[in-house]
Amino acid sequence: MIRAARKEDFPAVKELMNGLHGAHAEARPDVYKKDLVFQMENYEQMLGDSAARIFVYEAERVFGLMMLKIKETQESEAQVGRRFCHIEAIVVDPGLRKAGVGRKLLEYANEMSRELGLDAIELMVWDFNEDARRFYEKDGMTTKYTVLEKKLR
């Protein structure tokens, strides 16, 4: 079952987020600090943010998590104004990966975004995370733009 996250979900959310951060820190130690621990203060801040939504997938316990924000760009001379869902994270317990939990969370984001009349769903995925890229591409997502880097030290 997918439901809105609650304050008492913090221990499970912390474990999932620390696992996600650890994978990123291992792949990109030049970007991510190794010993970061997801803090209750950050979680409470996100729960209180009217633009943020946090959902958990629960079946006896929390096995998955999705964090997203509803964002808006203002119309200007150069750009069209638009409202979209930015997925900050989808994380699934390693023991349940490839079992459809992530798919259900993403479908939930798609449905919610349509109901809110949003223009699109966006997210960022690191190049090293090929499984995540394939997962999102299976849902119909395409590359919007690419950020290149040249390491100087």
Side-chain angles (χ1 to χ4, degrees), residues 20 24 90 97-98 103 106 123-139 141:
L20 176 67
H24 283 76
I90 292 181
R97 293 202 180 129
K98 310 264 188 217
R103 172 77 36 225
L106 188 54
L123 55 86
M124 194 216 48
V125 62
W126 285 90
D127 259 6
F128 68 81
N129 199 343
E130 293 175 14
D131 288 343
R133 179 182 294 276
R134 279 191 297 275
F135 170 75
Y136 295 120
E137 287 172 345
K138 278 185 186 176
D139 189 61
M141 292 191 166

Side-chain angles (χ1 to χ4, degrees), residues 83 107-118:
R83 293 179 62 230
E107 286 171 1
Y108 194 88
N110 284 322
E111 186 178 312
M112 183 201 72
S113 297
R114 282 189 196 97
E115 288 175 6
L116 291 173
L118 303 180

